[in-house]
Amino acid sequence: MQPFKELSDPRFWNPQCKNFEIIDWDKFYSKNPSPPKVYDPPQRRQNLHGWKSSLLWWWNRSWICQPLPFCCPVPKSDMARISDDSEILIQKMLGPNPSSENIPEALRNKLLWTEHNIAPETLVSFNRWAWRSQSDKGRVIGLGTLWYDWSVNPTVFGCLIANTLSRKYGAVQVSPDGKWINIATFSDPGAEGTVNYIYMYVVQEDDVFTTTDGQVIEHVKPGDLIRLTWNLEDPYECDNSKLVYMYFPRVVATLHETKGIVVRNDANYGELLRHATNDPDQCFSTCCYTFTWGWSAERRFDFQVSNISDLQRFAVAPPPPEAELIERL
């Protein structure tokens, strides 16, 4: 497989989009950014509400319009099960990078489960994105496409998202202290294009996160990530009263570079497997998993994130260009 040509294109490393900029980290830090220490994801209340979400088109295991997703061409054409004992899914989705020393430690050689993400996406790896060194003034150090190593559900909604992701790119910037990772996603790097900004925070040694009832979230450890969105258009907005999305990505597998093998994180993978193979036991209340009349947004959120799809669609990334080929772009 040849490297994805856009990963060696200077236009993608230096987007001219209307709202793209190299992050002024002093300006960002002047606003005292800090993730909420009480985990109460805004998407639990703000999404999946109203009559438009009554039909279960959004559910991770939705059978609406099946088998249409298996008949139509989709960019993510490979399929495998989380429950497959051969572990083919994680083996294919997590591959080596020739310049892995440039990947932020929180992302390096890791396969992430997007737990509590209500979109039909489940597993993500940034390992085969293109990575280069940081500069004194700051710059984009990582570039990739959401087409590859980014799994979706085999539902109609999942297929629609797959087609959207196949045209999306991500430009990564990292704060000087390594605590914050900014990803600007875009389709067109030209002057008519726009970017959406999302953040990931790297959990520090003194961070403690609790649920709304005061229980410590034990699986969140130093070095883990928090995915956050305040304002998709403004990279300097970090007021937690304006937070619209939050979840803790969990490492389910790690690539052992020297041995060249992918190793499961048994605790996190076990939780992933449980969510992928459980029995929802809501057939009666959902009219055979068709409708959720009268359900609150919170109940729909809980139903969505508790039952993910065992079968995943994905595409294996080609090898990325080596750092020396992109350092001067």
Side-chain angles (χ1 to χ4, degrees), residues 74-88:
V74 176
K76 299 176 186 290
S77 57
D78 291 350
M79 287 188 284
R81 292 188 178 277
I82 293 169
S83 61
D84 190 331
D85 290 337
S86 71
E87 301 182 356
I88 189 172

Side-chain angles (χ1 to χ4, degrees), residues 300-317:
R300 288 175 182 149
F301 171 88
D302 294 342
F303 185 60
Q304 172 75 327
V305 301
S306 298
N307 307 283
I308 65 175
S309 174
D310 184 20
L311 186 63
Q312 295 288 308
R313 300 192 75 139
F314 63 100
V316 176

Side-chain angles (χ1 to χ4, degrees), residues 248-274:
F248 294 94
R250 298 176 70 163
V251 178
V252 294
T254 303
L255 173 67
H256 194 297
E257 281 196 62
T258 56
K259 295 182 179 179
I261 58 174
V262 175
V263 180
R264 280 186 6 182
N265 179 309
D266 288 336
N268 288 341
Y269 198 90
E271 279 297 298
L272 171 69
L273 181 62
R274 184 174 67 84

